[in-house]
Amino acid sequence: MADMPLVHAVNVTKSFGDNQVLKGIDMDVHKGEVVCFLGPSGSGKTTFLRCINQLETINGGRIWVDGELMGYADKGGVLHRLHDKEIARQRREIGMVFQRFNLFPHKTVLDNIIEAPVQVKGEKKAEVTVRAKELLERVGLADKPLAYPGQLSGGQQQRVAIARALAMRPKLMLFDEPTSALDPELVGEVLTVMRELAKEGMTMIVVTHEMAFARDVADRVVFMDGGVVVEQGDPKQVINNPQHERTQTFLRRMQSEHEQAVAAVADPLGLTQDS
Amino acid sequence: MSTDTVDRPGEIHARPVRHPGRWVALVIIAILVAMLISSFITNPKWDWGFAFQIMQQKPVINGLWKGTILGTIGAMILGIVLGVILAVMRLSENPVLRGVSFAYTWFFRAMPRYVLLAFMGGAIALLYREFDIGVPFGQQIAGALGLSTDLTFWSFSWNDISSTIWVGILGLGLSEAAYMAEIARAGILSVDKGQGEAAQALGMSPGQAMRRIILPQAMRVIVPPTGNETIAMVKDTSLFIAASIITELYFQAYGFGQRSFKIVPGFMAAVMWYLIVCSILMVGQSYLERYFGRGFGAQAPTKRERKVKDLLSRTGDH
Ligand SMILES: Nc1ncnc2c1ncn2[C@@H]1O[C@H](COP(=O)(O)OP(=O)(O)O)[C@@H](O)[C@H]1O
Ligand SMILES: [Mg+2]
């Protein structure tokens, strides 16, 4: 077990009713690795992330995180579903950042961050408060502990959400399109925090449409489509020279969308050449 | 464009829209109010002086505190606690709990409070004189095993509590729980699903997520109708007489008027106390709404937030 990857997923399947969303995913993520998931909408990226921390129950296959089988106890080859409390314990080690932030709106920024360490791990409030302040400094929000989430911009909220997840000292961080709900000018501040985190050696699985981030930060890029992993490998290799046709189509479309977006911003300023 | 601003439109000093209807309405209302007040003063049967005296009578005050107010507080506490439990049961994945919650709500919403109180005051004592808390079927089991005890730990006689405020609180509280369950359920459902997921992703158990994250946010939706329920409950305590509970505001005030052959002041004494109590409750409700609405709009920091700020500045210099 010593050389088992931090995340070891084997033949994971997941259906919603008749709709099979994950069709046998194999995925290893090693300690300290940053893996970016790309793929069209509806391909099952979010579902796979949610399966890793048991927000969804898988129908087939196995997922181990840090050597521990997620969601089940294996008793002589027979799987027994774990009790809610046990699943909650397994989740403590896994931080998750949501597309829509999901900060607790009735709690201040500070209370958002210290809530889980105090309530779940039973840590001392004063100690966690010190750590929360350090985390807020790290994400550039040292001046906001008493603000309510509703008083912050989207970018600030997402940075608080990252700090909140980090306060549990997770071994693994899951990011589900962390910048997709943000205005374009706020994307950078969140990606900067994530870059720092990657540099510090955090193991990260990131679902994103930010190609530059994937290319520069990821150790590996995974392309998903229709519930299967179509292709994966070195980021530059996959993004600049995709082998599979579906990957090529997706990346071409991303490229043209990106150019349109740039043009839409540039045109009113009269920056395009041919006018 | 010229830089000359002389011809450019300046500040607006417009004539306001006229509202003649408002003045007409004001005059009509003023006349009606004047007529009412004049009748209060000139018709001696109102006898306000005596009404104020009744308001201050010891049995009336006693009925207000130990009947109306205690009954309201008790019934609402029971109703809210049981109602939230019923709502959580109704939303659980356990079909047995869901069914129990549904059946409870169905029964108590169909029961008129007057009938319920009359039943509890009259019929229960006929059905069960003694209530034993112990092992279920303890008497039968003990009999079969030939034990000298009947496996009862605690027992009380219904007669000990009948005609007391406890029966009133129990009756109105059980009934209230059915309504509070619906209110709490709407509140819980109003909270974004992402909140529970974020809480669970942080390692909270479903129960913790409910208590710490979902219910506090649901309160924003739960508090306003609960305030209405509380005000309605103040008035429903006047049904206590159905269970022969006589320590209660209306029965005492009306009885006082009746014994003095002055029924109207008796009524008015009760009416004025109800107005006072309900007005205070309405003010309290608006405070509660502000408290549970925190984080959903800009406002001054609460006392607790100032305390946290203190703590922060102290932990800063380590
Ligand atoms: N809770 C759910 N119930 C039913 N269908 C779902 C649910 N969550 C996701 N799906 C379906 O699963 C598919 C994959 O969704 P998702 O994992 O969100 O894709 P992606 O994140 O790659 O866009 C979609 O077709 C979606 O409609
Ligand atoms: Mg998604």
Side-chain angles (χ1 to χ4, degrees):
Chain A
M1 283 285 183
D3 51 351
M4 205 187 208
L6 187 65
V7 179
H8 182 49
V10 183
N11 196 25
V12 172
T13 57
K14 169 70 190 173
S15 304
F16 293 106
D18 294 337
N19 179 14
Q20 192 172 32
V21 175
L22 299 179
K23 298 170 179 165
I25 306 276
D26 295 319
M27 180 59 49
D28 284 355
V29 177
H30 293 270
K31 208 164 178 307
E33 215 183 354
V34 177
V35 179
C36 278
F37 275 61
L38 309 178
S41 167
S43 55
K45 309 179 297 294
T46 296
T47 305
F48 182 62
L49 277 197
R50 290 166 58 87
C51 287
I52 293 176
N53 75 350
Q54 298 289 305
L55 285 179
E56 304 288 355
T57 310
I58 59 179
N59 300 112
R62 304 277 190 281
I63 300 175
W64 286 268
V65 174
D66 203 21
E68 195 173 337
L69 181 63
M70 297 301 286
Y72 299 92
D74 189 340
K75 293 179 182 163
V78 182
L79 290 192
H80 295 256
R81 182 83 183 136
L82 289 180
H83 193 272
D84 285 339
K85 289 227 169 71
E86 283 296 297
I87 292 175
R89 183 186 55 74
Q90 291 186 328
R91 286 196 190 110
R92 289 184 198 179
E93 319 267 272
I94 305 172
M96 185 159 197
V97 175
F98 298 84
Q99 188 172 343
R100 303 224 38 97
F101 329 133
N102 293 353
L103 290 180
F104 306 134
H106 62 304
K107 290 180 180 292
T108 61
V109 163
L110 182 71
D111 283 345
N112 263 274
I113 298 175
I114 68 175
E115 172 71 13
V118 171
Q119 295 298 326
V120 175
K121 284 183 164 174
E123 291 187 60
K124 288 217 180 63
K125 202 163 171 179
E127 285 168 24
V128 188
T129 303
V130 172
R131 193 158 87 233
K133 276 188 70 181
E134 289 164 3
L135 283 166
L136 278 176
E137 214 153 295
R138 246 168 92 185
V139 300
L141 291 169
D143 55 333
K144 296 285 186 205
L146 295 185
Y148 281 98
Q151 298 164 333
L152 302 179
S153 75
Q156 291 173 325
Q157 289 190 51
Q158 195 60 299
R159 287 184 279 151
V160 174
I162 294 172
R164 178 177 71 174
L166 292 176
M168 290 294 283
R169 303 189 203 274
K171 292 178 192 151
L172 168 69
M173 285 286 286
L174 309 174
F175 294 84
D176 186 14
E177 300 199 32
T179 59
S180 293
L182 299 179
D183 291 335
E185 75 270 21
L186 302 178
V187 168
E189 62 193 49
V190 173
L191 292 182
T192 304
V193 169
M194 291 170 63
R195 275 200 169 90
E196 287 297 314
L197 201 53
K199 218 181 290 169
E200 287 160 21
M202 174 61 74
T203 313
M204 295 162 61
I205 303 181
V206 185
V207 175
T208 187
H209 294 299
E210 296 293 331
M211 290 302 153
F213 178 86
R215 193 168 27 207
D216 302 345
V217 182
D219 298 300
R220 179 157 47 108
V221 159
V222 175
F223 177 73
M224 268 183 81
D225 193 7
V228 295
V229 172
V230 174
E231 122 170 55
Q232 60 175 308
D234 177 70
K236 292 185 185 67
Q237 182 69 32
V238 174
I239 293 173
N240 296 338
N241 187 18
Q243 298 302 303
H244 202 283
E245 191 220 301
R246 280 198 273 178
T247 320
Q248 292 163 2
T249 319
F250 173 73
L251 289 171
R252 252 202 315 277
R253 215 183 57 232
M254 290 296 295
Q255 181 66 24
S256 77
E257 268 170 29
H258 179 68
E259 276 161 10
Q260 275 166 21
V262 170
V265 175
D267 256 343
L269 302 174
L271 293 178
T272 29
Q273 304 293 322
D274 53 1
S275 63
Chain B
M1 277 272 169
S2 88
T3 52
D4 185 8
T5 58
V6 172
D7 293 339
R8 294 156 74 76
E11 227 174 297
I12 293 174
H13 300 286
R15 302 260 155 81
V17 175
R18 293 188 197 288
H19 297 284
R22 287 183 194 173
W23 292 103
V24 176
L26 185 67
V27 169
I28 294 172
I29 300 287
I31 291 170
L32 289 174
V33 169
M35 285 163 68
L36 190 64
I37 290 177
S38 127
S39 126
F40 282 169
I41 297 169
T42 56
N43 186 339
K45 287 242 160 63
W46 284 108
D47 204 344
W48 292 100
F50 193 53
F52 287 123
Q53 272 180 33
I54 296 178
M55 280 177 80
Q56 295 161 41
Q57 291 304 313
K58 190 116 190 289
V60 174
I61 300 277
N62 218 20
L64 171 70
W65 283 109
K66 294 187 182 158
T68 303
I69 290 178
L70 185 63
T72 302
I73 294 172
M76 284 311 293
I77 290 175
L78 178 60
I80 290 169
V81 171
L82 194 55
V84 169
I85 292 171
L86 285 165
V88 172
M89 283 166 67
R90 188 75 186 277
L91 294 169
S92 88
E93 283 168 17
N94 183 333
V96 178
L97 296 184
R98 276 206 311 267
V100 169
S101 173
F102 176 83
Y104 182 99
T105 310
W106 165 78
F107 179 78
F108 279 99
R109 283 219 295 188
M111 274 297 262
R113 286 186 174 170
Y114 186 85
V115 176
L116 183 64
L117 285 171
F119 180 83
M120 294 182 71
I124 287 187
L126 299 178
L127 290 166
Y128 309 101
R129 263 179 323 171
E130 291 259 337
F131 284 81
D132 297 335
I133 312 281
V135 177
F137 300 105
Q139 285 158 4
Q140 287 87 333
I141 295 172
L145 299 176
L147 300 175
S148 58
T149 159
D150 60 0
L151 302 175
T152 299
F153 311 130
W154 186 66
S155 72
F156 71 95
S157 159
W158 185 259
N159 278 326
D160 293 346
I161 68 158
S162 76
S163 303
T164 68
I165 186 78
W166 300 109
V167 173
I169 287 176
L170 190 63
L172 291 182
L174 291 177
S175 168
E176 185 57 35
Y179 295 90
M180 283 308 304
E182 292 298 295
I183 291 170
R185 186 162 73 110
I188 291 169
L189 289 175
S190 76
V191 178
D192 177 38
K193 229 175 82 234
Q195 291 292 310
E197 289 185 345
Q200 295 201 10
L202 285 165
M204 292 193 203
S205 67
Q208 267 178 324
M210 181 58 75
R211 265 180 289 117
R212 302 280 314 172
I213 305 302
I214 298 172
L215 279 180
Q217 292 182 60
M219 290 308 277
R220 210 163 54 94
V221 171
I222 292 174
V223 164
T226 302
N228 289 339
E229 292 292 313
T230 309
I231 288 165
M233 185 60 80
V234 172
K235 297 175 287 178
D236 281 352
T237 54
S238 62
L239 301 172
F240 275 177
I241 192 60
S244 315
I245 303 161
I246 56 168
T247 309
E248 177 268 312
L249 172 62
Y250 172 67
F251 185 81
Q252 292 299 332
Y254 179 73
F256 204 91
Q258 210 180 23
R259 285 193 298 279
S260 327
F261 303 105
K262 285 182 175 177
I263 290 178
V264 174
F267 272 120
M268 294 324 288
V271 166
M272 283 189 285
W273 271 127
Y274 284 124
L275 284 174
I276 290 168
V277 172
C278 290
S279 305
I280 293 170
L281 284 175
M282 287 175 206
V283 173
Q285 182 182 5
S286 78
Y287 274 103
L288 277 179
E289 275 175 39
R290 209 174 323 157
Y291 175 78
F292 284 108
R294 70 200 189 283
F296 292 90
Q299 62 221 296
T302 63
K303 197 161 132 203
R304 204 185 81 81
E305 281 156 33
R306 283 198 297 276
K307 239 171 61 192
V308 172
K309 197 167 199 167
D310 254 26
L311 184 70
L312 269 177
S313 56
R314 269 187 280 119
T315 51
D317 37 48
H318 59 101

